[in-house]
Amino acid sequence: MYNLIVRPLLFRIDPEKVHRILLNWLKFYRYLLPLRSCVRGHYKVFAPFSYGNLHFKNRVGLSAGFDKNAETFDELADFGFGFLEVGTITPDSQPGNPSPRILRLVKDESLISRTGFNNCGVDITLEHIRKNRKHSYMLGVNINKNPLSAGEQIIKDFELVFTRLYESVDYFTLNWGSIDHESFAKVLENLTTFRQTANKRCSIFIKLPADIDERALDLVISLACKYSIEGFIATGPTMDHSELHQTETKQLEKIGNGGVSGRGIGKKSQHVVRYLSKHTDHHFLIIGAGGIMTAEDAADMVSQGADMVQIYSAFIYSGPSIVHQIGKKLKY
């Protein structure tokens, strides 16, 4: 029904407007308790997986970017996700880049996005998490600095968001490439110092871009070892548009720059997962993300060395049923 009726109707509307409609619907759905109970029962996939202090109901997660402001993660969990990641969250609220900033490439089953760090800021995010978290799942948050911060302020920005949210989430994700390498190392050192004095241990993952080269991967691995980082998410979008074979060149030129997610990411994410798996000897949790549009894609990612997967574009293109399909495929 989603592919035949719902998606064609939604895809007639601007992507960001559709997204707001879906978030508003989820907020209304929040209060339909009998329906929510039925939905949770229908989509439930119980295939426990543990890593350190993290205990997942299954191996399928929702990537950051869908619930930027931590408004509807609890409702989204009803559709079978074992873990969900909100954000990206910065210290202060941000408007992001001008619209249009999310575009669908339906023939290529892809999205191009250039949203920036549009979010409500750490204080409102914390209010949302405290108010809305009701059920059992792992909750992560992708964090970053304010766009104009530089120098030592970068370290302070990360510390502010990290310490404010630390007691309310299960893990944090930092994006490699969003700040310079020297600052990234200083941020990890600072956050490691805080974790050593905290009452609980909250995991840190590093999210890698799809276009990262092997030299940078070696540097990231060495930093992860030095600062006892728990794992990697591989990968975010690619800036390479060469795998968008079904979309006309003129349309791509009109759209312009932006990160490609979905089918158009090609095999880049699998390559990074394979490299990490080969060069870390299973000392880190590896979450495969990018290019996973079907249950078979998820299984392929696991075969390359991923322990778990995250999806985003697949949820847009295939609807909630894809979570259950992938969860069952990875049930082992």
PDB file of all heavy atoms in Angstrom, residues 88-120:
ATOM      1  N   THR A  88      21.591  16.298  13.564  1.00  0.00           N
ATOM      2  CA  THR A  88      22.738  16.793  14.301  1.00  0.00           C
ATOM      3  C   THR A  88      22.339  17.952  15.219  1.00  0.00           C
ATOM      4  O   THR A  88      21.606  18.854  14.804  1.00  0.00           O
ATOM      5  CB  THR A  88      23.837  17.241  13.326  1.00  0.00           C
ATOM      6  OG1 THR A  88      24.245  16.133  12.539  1.00  0.00           O
ATOM      7  CG2 THR A  88      25.023  17.859  14.035  1.00  0.00           C
ATOM      8  N   ILE A  89      22.881  17.933  16.467  1.00  0.00           N
ATOM      9  CA  ILE A  89      22.566  18.950  17.459  1.00  0.00           C
ATOM     10  C   ILE A  89      23.797  19.816  17.704  1.00  0.00           C
ATOM     11  O   ILE A  89      24.904  19.306  17.905  1.00  0.00           O
ATOM     12  CB  ILE A  89      22.113  18.295  18.784  1.00  0.00           C
ATOM     13  CG1 ILE A  89      20.909  17.387  18.535  1.00  0.00           C
ATOM     14  CG2 ILE A  89      21.800  19.370  19.826  1.00  0.00           C
ATOM     15  CD1 ILE A  89      19.694  18.089  17.970  1.00  0.00           C
ATOM     16  N   THR A  90      23.594  21.114  17.707  1.00  0.00           N
ATOM     17  CA  THR A  90      24.636  22.097  18.001  1.00  0.00           C
ATOM     18  C   THR A  90      24.274  22.842  19.280  1.00  0.00           C
ATOM     19  O   THR A  90      23.134  22.764  19.747  1.00  0.00           O
ATOM     20  CB  THR A  90      24.776  23.086  16.835  1.00  0.00           C
ATOM     21  OG1 THR A  90      23.490  23.671  16.561  1.00  0.00           O
ATOM     22  CG2 THR A  90      25.265  22.392  15.577  1.00  0.00           C
ATOM     23  N   PRO A  91      25.219  23.589  19.864  1.00  0.00           N
ATOM     24  CA  PRO A  91      24.893  24.309  21.103  1.00  0.00           C
ATOM     25  C   PRO A  91      23.698  25.244  20.962  1.00  0.00           C
ATOM     26  O   PRO A  91      22.802  25.260  21.808  1.00  0.00           O
ATOM     27  CB  PRO A  91      26.180  25.088  21.404  1.00  0.00           C
ATOM     28  CG  PRO A  91      27.256  24.274  20.788  1.00  0.00           C
ATOM     29  CD  PRO A  91      26.655  23.698  19.535  1.00  0.00           C
ATOM     30  N   ASP A  92      23.683  26.024  19.903  1.00  0.00           N
ATOM     31  CA  ASP A  92      22.602  26.981  19.668  1.00  0.00           C
ATOM     32  C   ASP A  92      21.749  26.547  18.483  1.00  0.00           C
ATOM     33  O   ASP A  92      22.210  25.792  17.617  1.00  0.00           O
ATOM     34  CB  ASP A  92      23.173  28.383  19.394  1.00  0.00           C
ATOM     35  CG  ASP A  92      24.054  28.885  20.528  1.00  0.00           C
ATOM     36  OD1 ASP A  92      23.691  28.659  21.701  1.00  0.00           O
ATOM     37  OD2 ASP A  92      25.114  29.473  20.240  1.00  0.00           O
ATOM     38  N   SER A  93      20.523  27.026  18.418  1.00  0.00           N
ATOM     39  CA  SER A  93      19.656  26.705  17.287  1.00  0.00           C
ATOM     40  C   SER A  93      20.242  27.282  16.000  1.00  0.00           C
ATOM     41  O   SER A  93      20.880  28.338  16.006  1.00  0.00           O
ATOM     42  CB  SER A  93      18.253  27.262  17.519  1.00  0.00           C
ATOM     43  OG  SER A  93      18.283  28.676  17.615  1.00  0.00           O
ATOM     44  N   GLN A  94      20.018  26.574  14.892  1.00  0.00           N
ATOM     45  CA  GLN A  94      20.570  26.982  13.596  1.00  0.00           C
ATOM     46  C   GLN A  94      19.503  26.867  12.518  1.00  0.00           C
ATOM     47  O   GLN A  94      18.730  25.917  12.507  1.00  0.00           O
ATOM     48  CB  GLN A  94      21.759  26.088  13.215  1.00  0.00           C
ATOM     49  CG  GLN A  94      22.866  26.024  14.238  1.00  0.00           C
ATOM     50  CD  GLN A  94      23.564  27.346  14.455  1.00  0.00           C
ATOM     51  OE1 GLN A  94      23.595  28.192  13.550  1.00  0.00           O
ATOM     52  NE2 GLN A  94      24.136  27.553  15.635  1.00  0.00           N
ATOM     53  N   PRO A  95      19.461  27.840  11.585  1.00  0.00           N
ATOM     54  CA  PRO A  95      18.473  27.777  10.505  1.00  0.00           C
ATOM     55  C   PRO A  95      18.865  26.837   9.380  1.00  0.00           C
ATOM     56  O   PRO A  95      18.014  26.392   8.604  1.00  0.00           O
ATOM     57  CB  PRO A  95      18.421  29.222  10.004  1.00  0.00           C
ATOM     58  CG  PRO A  95      19.795  29.758  10.281  1.00  0.00           C
ATOM     59  CD  PRO A  95      20.240  29.096  11.560  1.00  0.00           C
ATOM     60  N   GLY A  96      20.157  26.528   9.266  1.00  0.00           N
ATOM     61  CA  GLY A  96      20.611  25.694   8.164  1.00  0.00           C
ATOM     62  C   GLY A  96      20.747  26.474   6.877  1.00  0.00           C
ATOM     63  O   GLY A  96      20.683  27.709   6.855  1.00  0.00           O
ATOM     64  N   ASN A  97      20.913  25.763   5.781  1.00  0.00           N
ATOM     65  CA  ASN A  97      21.098  26.386   4.477  1.00  0.00           C
ATOM     66  C   ASN A  97      19.750  26.784   3.864  1.00  0.00           C
ATOM     67  O   ASN A  97      18.704  26.267   4.259  1.00  0.00           O
ATOM     68  CB  ASN A  97      21.819  25.428   3.533  1.00  0.00           C
ATOM     69  CG  ASN A  97      23.238  25.146   3.990  1.00  0.00           C
ATOM     70  OD1 ASN A  97      23.917  26.025   4.522  1.00  0.00           O
ATOM     71  ND2 ASN A  97      23.700  23.918   3.791  1.00  0.00           N
ATOM     72  N   PRO A  98      19.777  27.675   2.880  1.00  0.00           N
ATOM     73  CA  PRO A  98      18.527  28.071   2.211  1.00  0.00           C
ATOM     74  C   PRO A  98      17.894  26.905   1.461  1.00  0.00           C
ATOM     75  O   PRO A  98      18.571  25.977   1.034  1.00  0.00           O
ATOM     76  CB  PRO A  98      18.986  29.160   1.228  1.00  0.00           C
ATOM     77  CG  PRO A  98      20.327  29.613   1.715  1.00  0.00           C
ATOM     78  CD  PRO A  98      20.946  28.420   2.367  1.00  0.00           C
ATOM     79  N   SER A  99      16.584  26.970   1.311  1.00  0.00           N
ATOM     80  CA  SER A  99      15.861  25.964   0.521  1.00  0.00           C
ATOM     81  C   SER A  99      15.911  26.344  -0.954  1.00  0.00           C
ATOM     82  O   SER A  99      16.095  27.525  -1.294  1.00  0.00           O
ATOM     83  CB  SER A  99      14.403  25.881   0.994  1.00  0.00           C
ATOM     84  OG  SER A  99      14.348  25.435   2.331  1.00  0.00           O
ATOM     85  N   PRO A 100      15.760  25.352  -1.858  1.00  0.00           N
ATOM     86  CA  PRO A 100      15.544  23.918  -1.606  1.00  0.00           C
ATOM     87  C   PRO A 100      16.849  23.238  -1.192  1.00  0.00           C
ATOM     88  O   PRO A 100      17.900  23.504  -1.779  1.00  0.00           O
ATOM     89  CB  PRO A 100      15.042  23.397  -2.944  1.00  0.00           C
ATOM     90  CG  PRO A 100      15.674  24.304  -3.955  1.00  0.00           C
ATOM     91  CD  PRO A 100      15.723  25.651  -3.304  1.00  0.00           C
ATOM     92  N   ARG A 101      16.772  22.370  -0.216  1.00  0.00           N
ATOM     93  CA  ARG A 101      17.987  21.746   0.320  1.00  0.00           C
ATOM     94  C   ARG A 101      17.865  20.234   0.467  1.00  0.00           C
ATOM     95  O   ARG A 101      18.809  19.594   0.895  1.00  0.00           O
ATOM     96  CB  ARG A 101      18.367  22.393   1.647  1.00  0.00           C
ATOM     97  CG  ARG A 101      17.236  22.424   2.667  1.00  0.00           C
ATOM     98  CD  ARG A 101      17.575  23.334   3.838  1.00  0.00           C
ATOM     99  NE  ARG A 101      16.520  23.330   4.846  1.00  0.00           N
ATOM    100  CZ  ARG A 101      16.545  24.066   5.958  1.00  0.00           C
ATOM    101  NH1 ARG A 101      17.585  24.851   6.195  1.00  0.00           N
ATOM    102  NH2 ARG A 101      15.567  24.005   6.822  1.00  0.00           N
ATOM    103  N   ILE A 102      16.697  19.680   0.148  1.00  0.00           N
ATOM    104  CA  ILE A 102      16.535  18.228   0.047  1.00  0.00           C
ATOM    105  C   ILE A 102      15.822  17.936  -1.266  1.00  0.00           C
ATOM    106  O   ILE A 102      14.759  18.504  -1.538  1.00  0.00           O
ATOM    107  CB  ILE A 102      15.714  17.649   1.215  1.00  0.00           C
ATOM    108  CG1 ILE A 102      16.368  17.976   2.551  1.00  0.00           C
ATOM    109  CG2 ILE A 102      15.569  16.133   1.055  1.00  0.00           C
ATOM    110  CD1 ILE A 102      15.569  17.483   3.744  1.00  0.00           C
ATOM    111  N   LEU A 103      16.404  17.093  -2.087  1.00  0.00           N
ATOM    112  CA  LEU A 103      15.823  16.787  -3.393  1.00  0.00           C
ATOM    113  C   LEU A 103      15.808  15.285  -3.624  1.00  0.00           C
ATOM    114  O   LEU A 103      16.765  14.588  -3.298  1.00  0.00           O
ATOM    115  CB  LEU A 103      16.613  17.482  -4.509  1.00  0.00           C
ATOM    116  CG  LEU A 103      16.701  19.016  -4.339  1.00  0.00           C
ATOM    117  CD1 LEU A 103      18.095  19.401  -3.889  1.00  0.00           C
ATOM    118  CD2 LEU A 103      16.324  19.733  -5.601  1.00  0.00           C
ATOM    119  N   ARG A 104      14.718  14.795  -4.183  1.00  0.00           N
ATOM    120  CA  ARG A 104      14.587  13.374  -4.488  1.00  0.00           C
ATOM    121  C   ARG A 104      15.040  13.098  -5.923  1.00  0.00           C
ATOM    122  O   ARG A 104      14.718  13.855  -6.838  1.00  0.00           O
ATOM    123  CB  ARG A 104      13.143  12.917  -4.365  1.00  0.00           C
ATOM    124  CG  ARG A 104      12.462  13.183  -3.051  1.00  0.00           C
ATOM    125  CD  ARG A 104      11.065  12.551  -3.069  1.00  0.00           C
ATOM    126  NE  ARG A 104      10.206  13.100  -2.040  1.00  0.00           N
ATOM    127  CZ  ARG A 104       9.361  14.088  -2.213  1.00  0.00           C
ATOM    128  NH1 ARG A 104       9.247  14.651  -3.407  1.00  0.00           N
ATOM    129  NH2 ARG A 104       8.609  14.530  -1.222  1.00  0.00           N
ATOM    130  N   LEU A 105      15.752  12.000  -6.074  1.00  0.00           N
ATOM    131  CA  LEU A 105      16.068  11.472  -7.396  1.00  0.00           C
ATOM    132  C   LEU A 105      15.437  10.081  -7.457  1.00  0.00           C
ATOM    133  O   LEU A 105      16.077   9.078  -7.169  1.00  0.00           O
ATOM    134  CB  LEU A 105      17.582  11.415  -7.597  1.00  0.00           C
ATOM    135  CG  LEU A 105      18.318  12.749  -7.462  1.00  0.00           C
ATOM    136  CD1 LEU A 105      19.816  12.556  -7.629  1.00  0.00           C
ATOM    137  CD2 LEU A 105      17.794  13.766  -8.472  1.00  0.00           C
ATOM    138  N   VAL A 106      14.165  10.062  -7.819  1.00  0.00           N
ATOM    139  CA  VAL A 106      13.360   8.847  -7.672  1.00  0.00           C
ATOM    140  C   VAL A 106      13.887   7.705  -8.524  1.00  0.00           C
ATOM    141  O   VAL A 106      13.965   6.552  -8.072  1.00  0.00           O
ATOM    142  CB  VAL A 106      11.882   9.144  -8.028  1.00  0.00           C
ATOM    143  CG1 VAL A 106      11.057   7.868  -7.914  1.00  0.00           C
ATOM    144  CG2 VAL A 106      11.324  10.214  -7.106  1.00  0.00           C
ATOM    145  N   LYS A 107      14.293   7.988  -9.750  1.00  0.00           N
ATOM    146  CA  LYS A 107      14.773   6.924 -10.633  1.00  0.00           C
ATOM    147  C   LYS A 107      16.025   6.260 -10.083  1.00  0.00           C
ATOM    148  O   LYS A 107      16.274   5.084 -10.334  1.00  0.00           O
ATOM    149  CB  LYS A 107      15.031   7.488 -12.033  1.00  0.00           C
ATOM    150  CG  LYS A 107      13.773   7.929 -12.765  1.00  0.00           C
ATOM    151  CD  LYS A 107      14.106   8.464 -14.145  1.00  0.00           C
ATOM    152  CE  LYS A 107      12.851   8.900 -14.885  1.00  0.00           C
ATOM    153  NZ  LYS A 107      13.174   9.441 -16.229  1.00  0.00           N
ATOM    154  N   ASP A 108      16.819   7.026  -9.341  1.00  0.00           N
ATOM    155  CA  ASP A 108      18.044   6.490  -8.750  1.00  0.00           C
ATOM    156  C   ASP A 108      17.862   6.075  -7.296  1.00  0.00           C
ATOM    157  O   ASP A 108      18.832   5.692  -6.640  1.00  0.00           O
ATOM    158  CB  ASP A 108      19.162   7.531  -8.832  1.00  0.00           C
ATOM    159  CG  ASP A 108      19.809   7.584 -10.201  1.00  0.00           C
ATOM    160  OD1 ASP A 108      20.370   6.560 -10.613  1.00  0.00           O
ATOM    161  OD2 ASP A 108      19.741   8.645 -10.856  1.00  0.00           O
ATOM    162  N   GLU A 109      16.628   6.152  -6.791  1.00  0.00           N
ATOM    163  CA  GLU A 109      16.349   5.823  -5.392  1.00  0.00           C
ATOM    164  C   GLU A 109      17.341   6.525  -4.455  1.00  0.00           C
ATOM    165  O   GLU A 109      17.950   5.911  -3.580  1.00  0.00           O
ATOM    166  CB  GLU A 109      16.405   4.314  -5.158  1.00  0.00           C
ATOM    167  CG  GLU A 109      15.271   3.548  -5.796  1.00  0.00           C
ATOM    168  CD  GLU A 109      15.277   2.084  -5.392  1.00  0.00           C
ATOM    169  OE1 GLU A 109      16.215   1.361  -5.799  1.00  0.00           O
ATOM    170  OE2 GLU A 109      14.363   1.665  -4.659  1.00  0.00           O
ATOM    171  N   SER A 110      17.479   7.817  -4.650  1.00  0.00           N
ATOM    172  CA  SER A 110      18.471   8.577  -3.904  1.00  0.00           C
ATOM    173  C   SER A 110      17.906   9.902  -3.440  1.00  0.00           C
ATOM    174  O   SER A 110      16.853  10.360  -3.911  1.00  0.00           O
ATOM    175  CB  SER A 110      19.720   8.831  -4.774  1.00  0.00           C
ATOM    176  OG  SER A 110      20.302   7.624  -5.199  1.00  0.00           O
ATOM    177  N   LEU A 111      18.631  10.512  -2.510  1.00  0.00           N
ATOM    178  CA  LEU A 111      18.345  11.863  -2.055  1.00  0.00           C
ATOM    179  C   LEU A 111      19.612  12.688  -2.175  1.00  0.00           C
ATOM    180  O   LEU A 111      20.716  12.184  -1.963  1.00  0.00           O
ATOM    181  CB  LEU A 111      17.888  11.871  -0.592  1.00  0.00           C
ATOM    182  CG  LEU A 111      16.601  11.131  -0.232  1.00  0.00           C
ATOM    183  CD1 LEU A 111      16.442  11.080   1.287  1.00  0.00           C
ATOM    184  CD2 LEU A 111      15.388  11.809  -0.867  1.00  0.00           C
ATOM    185  N   ILE A 112      19.452  13.958  -2.525  1.00  0.00           N
ATOM    186  CA  ILE A 112      20.552  14.913  -2.443  1.00  0.00           C
ATOM    187  C   ILE A 112      20.185  15.938  -1.381  1.00  0.00           C
ATOM    188  O   ILE A 112      19.095  16.514  -1.415  1.00  0.00           O
ATOM    189  CB  ILE A 112      20.813  15.602  -3.792  1.00  0.00           C
ATOM    190  CG1 ILE A 112      21.424  14.602  -4.781  1.00  0.00           C
ATOM    191  CG2 ILE A 112      21.740  16.800  -3.614  1.00  0.00           C
ATOM    192  CD1 ILE A 112      21.790  15.204  -6.120  1.00  0.00           C
ATOM    193  N   SER A 113      21.058  16.127  -0.430  1.00  0.00           N
ATOM    194  CA  SER A 113      20.756  17.052   0.663  1.00  0.00           C
ATOM    195  C   SER A 113      21.922  17.998   0.907  1.00  0.00           C
ATOM    196  O   SER A 113      23.087  17.644   0.722  1.00  0.00           O
ATOM    197  CB  SER A 113      20.431  16.290   1.948  1.00  0.00           C
ATOM    198  OG  SER A 113      21.535  15.515   2.351  1.00  0.00           O
ATOM    199  N   ARG A 114      21.581  19.196   1.315  1.00  0.00           N
ATOM    200  CA  ARG A 114      22.556  20.215   1.720  1.00  0.00           C
ATOM    201  C   ARG A 114      21.892  21.088   2.793  1.00  0.00           C
ATOM    202  O   ARG A 114      21.790  22.298   2.668  1.00  0.00           O
ATOM    203  CB  ARG A 114      23.015  21.041   0.511  1.00  0.00           C
ATOM    204  CG  ARG A 114      21.899  21.464  -0.447  1.00  0.00           C
ATOM    205  CD  ARG A 114      22.414  22.369  -1.547  1.00  0.00           C
ATOM    206  NE  ARG A 114      21.357  22.786  -2.445  1.00  0.00           N
ATOM    207  CZ  ARG A 114      21.074  22.200  -3.608  1.00  0.00           C
ATOM    208  NH1 ARG A 114      21.793  21.173  -4.021  1.00  0.00           N
ATOM    209  NH2 ARG A 114      20.092  22.642  -4.367  1.00  0.00           N
ATOM    210  N   THR A 115      21.401  20.414   3.818  1.00  0.00           N
ATOM    211  CA  THR A 115      20.581  21.089   4.823  1.00  0.00           C
ATOM    212  C   THR A 115      21.389  21.966   5.759  1.00  0.00           C
ATOM    213  O   THR A 115      20.879  22.944   6.297  1.00  0.00           O
ATOM    214  CB  THR A 115      19.804  20.062   5.667  1.00  0.00           C
ATOM    215  OG1 THR A 115      20.730  19.136   6.242  1.00  0.00           O
ATOM    216  CG2 THR A 115      18.798  19.313   4.809  1.00  0.00           C
ATOM    217  N   GLY A 116      22.656  21.618   5.997  1.00  0.00           N
ATOM    218  CA  GLY A 116      23.388  22.314   7.042  1.00  0.00           C
ATOM    219  C   GLY A 116      22.979  21.757   8.402  1.00  0.00           C
ATOM    220  O   GLY A 116      22.395  20.675   8.507  1.00  0.00           O
ATOM    221  N   PHE A 117      23.276  22.504   9.434  1.00  0.00           N
ATOM    222  CA  PHE A 117      23.010  22.030  10.791  1.00  0.00           C
ATOM    223  C   PHE A 117      21.696  22.564  11.337  1.00  0.00           C
ATOM    224  O   PHE A 117      21.608  22.955  12.505  1.00  0.00           O
ATOM    225  CB  PHE A 117      24.158  22.433  11.728  1.00  0.00           C
ATOM    226  CG  PHE A 117      25.476  21.818  11.398  1.00  0.00           C
ATOM    227  CD1 PHE A 117      26.646  22.544  11.551  1.00  0.00           C
ATOM    228  CD2 PHE A 117      25.561  20.512  10.931  1.00  0.00           C
ATOM    229  CE1 PHE A 117      27.876  21.976  11.256  1.00  0.00           C
ATOM    230  CE2 PHE A 117      26.785  19.941  10.621  1.00  0.00           C
ATOM    231  CZ  PHE A 117      27.946  20.679  10.796  1.00  0.00           C
ATOM    232  N   ASN A 118      20.657  22.605  10.520  1.00  0.00           N
ATOM    233  CA  ASN A 118      19.388  23.138  11.023  1.00  0.00           C
ATOM    234  C   ASN A 118      18.874  22.274  12.178  1.00  0.00           C
ATOM    235  O   ASN A 118      18.642  21.080  12.022  1.00  0.00           O
ATOM    236  CB  ASN A 118      18.352  23.219   9.895  1.00  0.00           C
ATOM    237  CG  ASN A 118      18.088  21.892   9.221  1.00  0.00           C
ATOM    238  OD1 ASN A 118      18.995  21.209   8.792  1.00  0.00           O
ATOM    239  ND2 ASN A 118      16.816  21.529   9.133  1.00  0.00           N
ATOM    240  N   ASN A 119      18.750  22.887  13.342  1.00  0.00           N
ATOM    241  CA  ASN A 119      18.252  22.189  14.531  1.00  0.00           C
ATOM    242  C   ASN A 119      17.871  23.207  15.586  1.00  0.00           C
ATOM    243  O   ASN A 119      18.178  24.399  15.474  1.00  0.00           O
ATOM    244  CB  ASN A 119      19.308  21.214  15.063  1.00  0.00           C
ATOM    245  CG  ASN A 119      20.459  21.899  15.769  1.00  0.00           C
ATOM    246  OD1 ASN A 119      20.510  21.977  16.994  1.00  0.00           O
ATOM    247  ND2 ASN A 119      21.410  22.419  15.012  1.00  0.00           N
ATOM    248  N   CYS A 120      17.208  22.746  16.647  1.00  0.00           N
ATOM    249  CA  CYS A 120      16.660  23.634  17.668  1.00  0.00           C
ATOM    250  C   CYS A 120      17.635  23.954  18.799  1.00  0.00           C
ATOM    251  O   CYS A 120      17.305  24.704  19.713  1.00  0.00           O
ATOM    252  CB  CYS A 120      15.378  23.042  18.244  1.00  0.00           C
ATOM    253  SG  CYS A 120      15.637  21.436  19.051  1.00  0.00           S
TER     254      CYS A 120
END
